[in-house]
Amino acid sequence: MAKQAGVGNAVYKVVEVIGTSTQSWEDAAKNAVETAGGKVRDLRVAEVVKTDMTVKDGKVQTYRARVLLSFKYER
């Protein structure tokens, strides 16, 4: 089987982060990705795996998004 140019064996690491927002789940997920992106290089995929919210006195306080991030693992 011939190798394609630029394609090789690679390993990716997956980490889980939780982003929060007082506005929406979308903002919470965006906050998670953008904050992690400041420290982790070469992010490849972000997957929202769970959403929830905190509640106080019957009112939503914060939206939370649990996000799996994958990035290329450097050997």
Side-chain angles (χ1 to χ4, degrees), residues 25-47:
W25 283 301
E26 290 84 2
D27 282 346
K30 183 178 175 182
N31 288 338
V33 171
E34 291 180 354
T35 300
K39 298 289 182 185
V40 177
R41 293 182 303 151
D42 206 15
L43 286 178
R44 298 292 178 117
V45 175
E47 177 185 2

